[in-house]
Structure formats: structure tokens, C-alpha cells
Amino acid sequence: MIWDTASGGLAPAAQGRQAAIYACGITPYDATHLGHAATYIAWDLLVRAWRDAGHDVSYVQNVTDVDDPLLERAARDSQDWRELADREIDRYRADMTALRLLPPDHLIGAVEALDVIEDFSGLLADRGALYELDGDVYFLRSADTAFGSVSRLDPKQMITLSAERGGDPGRPGKKDALDALVWLARRPGEPAWDSRFGPGRPGWHVECAAIATRYLGTAFDVQAGGSDLIFPHHEMSASHARVAFAGTGGEVFARRYAHAGMVRLGGEKMSKSLGNLVFVSELRLSGTDPMAIRLSILAHHYRTDWDWTDEGLTAASGRLDRWRAAVRAGSGGQGGVAAGPESGRPGSAGQVASGERVLAAIRERLADDLDAPGALACVDEWAGATLAGPAAGDEAGQAASAWLVRDAVDALLGVEL
Ligand code: 5CA
Ligand code: ZN
């Protein structure tokens, strides 16, 4: 079960054997910070839980590799916007690999998907849901009777959030303050591509609506992002898709909308625009074990807002040391697959059961809205008991248990012990 923002309750994350998730990706104008890492680790837990449960998982992420903040940063630093994006995408991939996130099946940049976005926008035009304003093209939100069903906010709140998060509710000439930009006509000094709407570049929401539906189909299981994307971004993407695929019958866009809480620094949301950032790459360079970073994040439930602190990282390092010590102690100092229980030293029922209990408990906690803190507590309990001393005469059983816990923590929580 996962919390679904649109229905305001817990709901099964997948419907059948196939399970598909679209997670909004980065805008690559600065390095990956702990807030990004926390959000992507949440979806990584879902993907791991799905795989463990036997689903065929499709995982798609975009990269907003042309957008205002990227172009503004490139202009500020007098660098080529493509070079900036490429460098930050590489850094993002390296950070995610170090934190042991399973890569998406597709990581699609807006620029490489321009034809996909144009095709999708064409569907909106065919339905009469677009209009032009000084060469720019807007989506008529009145074309969608279900507009508002993701965020369930009232129009006043929507207008406030739209103004804060890249929208232009006050632009004169718009038919409705909440109509969203689908195609931005060429601006001097900015990149532009030819299209049926003239030279320009795509809007943000249509980018995700088009990429998600092209790679996952008209309907898929989960649309995921931080809670700052609930409105306008996820509302608009869903709305675009509902209009584009109206009349096709059946469900359109995501069945569930999953949102992660915001990671703060010093009480304020960690954000590129505020500049109060802790970068994953800098922590790694300073010698911090990526598994300690991952454990610091997993100590918080993904839906809560929380503060990144040095104390949290120190506590996670201590936990990592304890777990590793317990695996060493439990396995008699001979960890490693070759010497594992498969090599003909089956453990006794009692100790194996204790490993199996930990595995079952982690599975059960993750199935309950990705309760990582609950899963960590189960492993803590096992580590405490193991470090307290082996059951007399049961070293083989304890070793089997230790290997099972090590593998479960690796596969389900993504933490290498
Ligand atoms: N490219 C768009 C999505 S299509 C974008 O929002 N990019 S981003 O780089 O700004 O953010 C990438 C992801 O990190 C988004 O899901 C966003 O909600 C999430 N995020 C950003 N800041 C934080 C934060 N402080 N805490 C948690 N998640 C965050
Ligand atoms: Zn997105």
C-alpha cells in the first residue's frame, strides 16, 4: 500500500504483474542535494519492494534539460547550457550509483523527446484545448472537467502556488489564470526548436505528460515526486493527459500520486533557489560512506518533512557500524557469498528463523507505505541480539541468519553491509 495524494488515503501501489512508475527527474543546473536523494530513495524502495514481490517493473524518469532555471544559471555563469546540463546529469548518475539506487529503465531528456512532446501537444491542439498568446501556446484548463483532482486545492491556493512554482497566473491575456504554458515561442538568446507551433521550446508540465505516456502507456501505476510537485506540476501533467487521451476509454495517467516530504536545512526547504544545500557529491568527496548517507535518509519516513543534520549522519554511521559488526559477529567473521549457507552448512531452525523473521518484517514494513524507519528498527533489534552473543552451540544457524539479513538489507533497503 502507498499513500495516494489524489484520494487522500492508502491504496495498493500496483494492480497486476506489471508495475509502472514515472518519477519526475532532476533539472540539471546544480549538483544533486540531499532532498533529491531522499525523494529518489523513496521510489527506489518502491521499485525494490515491487521486484521482490515478483512484479515486472517499468521505471521511467525524465531530465528537464531545457527550462528557465537551467538557462538562467548557464547565463549567470557564462557557460553553455548543454554543457552545464550534461555535467550535472553525469554527476547525478554517479551520486545515484554511489547511493545504490537502481537506475530507471529510461532516463529521458526533454530535448531528446521534443518530437514526443510535439506529438502529444498535437493531441491537445486537435481537441481544441490550446490557444495562442503572443506566439506562446497555452492549455485551456477549462477543457478538463476533472482539473484539481490530484491536489484537491481551491483555486486561490492554486494561483498562489502557481506563481511560486514557475507559473504565470498574472499574465494579461490568459483566458484563465491557471492555464499552463505548453509551448514557449523563441526568446532572444535562448535555444529554440522548430515545431508546428513555430520555433520555441516546450513547457514543463507537457514534457512529463508526454514522456510518461509515451514510455509507460496512457495509464500507469504511480506518478512520483516531491510534495512541491503536487501543484501545479502533477495536477497539470495529469490534466494534459486526460484531455489528450479523452475518449480513449479506461483510465488515463497515474492511478496513484505519491509524494515525498521536503528535506530542510536549518528549518528551510533545501532548494537550489535558496542555496541552502548539502550536496551528495561533496559528502562523498569528504569521505562519508554513501551507505551512511542512505541510512540517514531511511531513518525518516518518506512522507515527512525533516531536517538534514550532522547528528543524523553521525547516528546513521553508528548504525551502519553496528549492523556490519553484527553481520561479522553473526557469520563468525567469514562473511561472503562463497561461505554462505548455500555452500552446504545449513543453519539450525532457530537461527535461520530469526533471519527469516527479519526478512519478513522488512517486507511487511515496506508494504505499509514504505515504512523504512520501521524496517530499520527490525534490523536494529536483530543486530542488538546478535552482538549480545551467539546462542551457545549454534554458530552455523547464526551465520545463516546473518547472511540472510545482510542479503535482505542489501536487496530491499539498498544498503550494502
Ligand atoms: N525537473 C523537475 C521535475 S519534472 C524538478 O522538479 N526538478 S528538481 O531538480 O527541482 O527536483 C527533482 C526532484 O527532487 C523532484 O521530485 C522534487 O520534488 C524533489 N526535491 C527538490 N527539493 C527537495 C527537497 N528539499 N526535499 C525533497 N525533495 C526535493
Ligand atoms: Zn515532472
Side-chain angles (χ1 to χ4, degrees), residues 22-25 62 64 204-205 207-209 223-224 229 233-234 237:
Y22 180 86
C24 279
N62 69 309
T64 308
W204 175 29
H205 316 305
E207 165 191 340
C208 283
Q223 156 76 310
L229 298 189
H233 187 51
H234 288 177
S237 298

Side-chain angles (χ1 to χ4, degrees), residues 147-158 161 165 230-232 235:
F147 185 86
S149 58
V150 173
S151 64
R152 295 175 298 137
L153 296 168
D154 65 52
K156 235 182 110 188
Q157 291 171 300
M158 289 183 183
L161 287 175
R165 297 174 178 168
I230 297 173
F231 195 90
E235 190 73 75

Side-chain angles (χ1 to χ4, degrees), residues 22 24-29 33-40 43 62-64 204 207-208 224-229 233 260-264 269-272:
Y22 180 86
C24 279
I26 54 161
T27 305
Y29 69 90
H33 61 63
L34 266 309
H36 302 135
T39 288
Y40 295 115
W43 320 137
N62 69 309
V63 178
T64 308
W204 175 29
E207 165 191 340
C208 283
S227 58
D228 57 342
L229 298 189
H233 187 51
M262 289 293 113
V263 180
R264 300 176 299 231
K269 174 192 162 186
M270 218 182 256
S271 78
K272 292 180 238 195

Side-chain angles (χ1 to χ4, degrees), residues 19-26 40 43 47 50 57-63 92 102-109 112-113 116 207-217 220-225 234:
I21 175 168
Y22 180 86
C24 279
I26 54 161
Y40 295 115
W43 320 137
V47 167
W50 268 348
V57 180
S58 301
Y59 182 11
V60 175
Q61 246 181 60
N62 69 309
V63 178
Y92 167 71
L102 302 173
D105 303 301
H106 299 281
L107 183 68
I108 308 291
E112 69 181 292
V116 175
E207 165 191 340
C208 283
I211 295 174
T213 52
R214 172 64 61 98
Y215 286 88
L216 296 174
F220 53 92
D221 293 296
V222 176
Q223 156 76 310
H234 288 177

Side-chain angles (χ1 to χ4, degrees), residues 176-201:
D176 185 295
L178 292 171
D179 290 345
L181 202 56
V182 166
W183 190 256
L184 181 71
R186 181 205 292 274
R187 301 285 194 269
E190 289 190 359
W193 293 267
D194 283 332
S195 78
R196 61 183 277 172
F197 308 107
R201 58 185 168 95

Side-chain angles (χ1 to χ4, degrees), residues 13-80:
Q15 311 296 301
R17 189 180 160 77
Q18 310 286 333
I21 175 168
Y22 180 86
C24 279
I26 54 161
T27 305
Y29 69 90
D30 211 339
T32 316
H33 61 63
L34 266 309
H36 302 135
T39 288
Y40 295 115
I41 284 176
W43 320 137
D44 187 58
L45 289 181
L46 176 60
V47 167
R48 287 169 182 274
W50 268 348
R51 286 190 174 190
D52 179 53
H55 291 286
D56 286 334
V57 180
S58 301
Y59 182 11
V60 175
Q61 246 181 60
N62 69 309
V63 178
T64 308
D65 58 1
V66 60
D67 201 7
D68 296 344
L70 175 76
L71 299 175
E72 283 160 16
R73 175 64 59 94
R76 188 197 78 178
D77 298 347
S78 310
Q79 54 181 329
D80 185 90

